[in-house]
Amino acid sequence: GAVDAFGIMRSKGGDYSTPGDLGFDPLGAYPKNEDGKKWMETAEIKNGRLAMIAIFAFAIQEAVSQVGVVNETPLFFFPIFQTLHEYANSGYIN
């Protein structure tokens, strides 16, 4: 929505140098030198690729086990008290 519109407007202004660089860096985490920028961009690409591999692995896991990842690991996806209550009532916690 709004971020896409801002990016499109900024790209038409001519100062659009790097995809995804919208000039928002309140903590100053983006390096100023070229080597640091290249390293940060490479790290982002590698993290994105790792995330894609993880999602593919989740899909394979669901296909093989016929159980959704959300249901296999409820501690990550449901409120903690709900999960502990279900575990307590199912015999996992005495």
Side-chain angles (χ1 to χ4, degrees):
V3 174
D4 291 331
F6 178 74
I8 290 170
M9 301 249 317
R10 184 166 176 198
S11 69
K12 293 183 189 235
D15 62 349
Y16 187 70
S17 59
T18 304
D21 179 19
L22 300 178
F24 181 74
D25 188 19
L27 300 177
Y30 195 65
K32 304 292 184 220
N33 61 359
E34 287 301 317
D35 287 338
K37 288 180 182 180
K38 191 59 127 175
W39 182 87
M40 183 74 78
E41 291 168 4
T42 304
E44 280 296 316
I45 290 171
K46 289 181 178 182
N47 287 334
R49 289 176 180 164
L50 183 62
M52 288 187 274
I53 291 170
I55 292 298
F56 180 70
F58 285 160
I60 296 297
Q61 178 182 352
E62 287 185 5
V64 170
S65 68
Q66 298 296 316
V67 178
V69 173
V70 173
N71 295 327
E72 285 187 8
T73 55
L75 287 172
F76 296 125
F77 298 101
F78 298 112
I80 188 71
F81 292 114
Q82 173 187 345
T83 305
L84 291 177
H85 178 70
E86 290 175 5
Y87 279 159
N89 289 336
S90 66
Y92 280 123
I93 299 174
N94 293 326

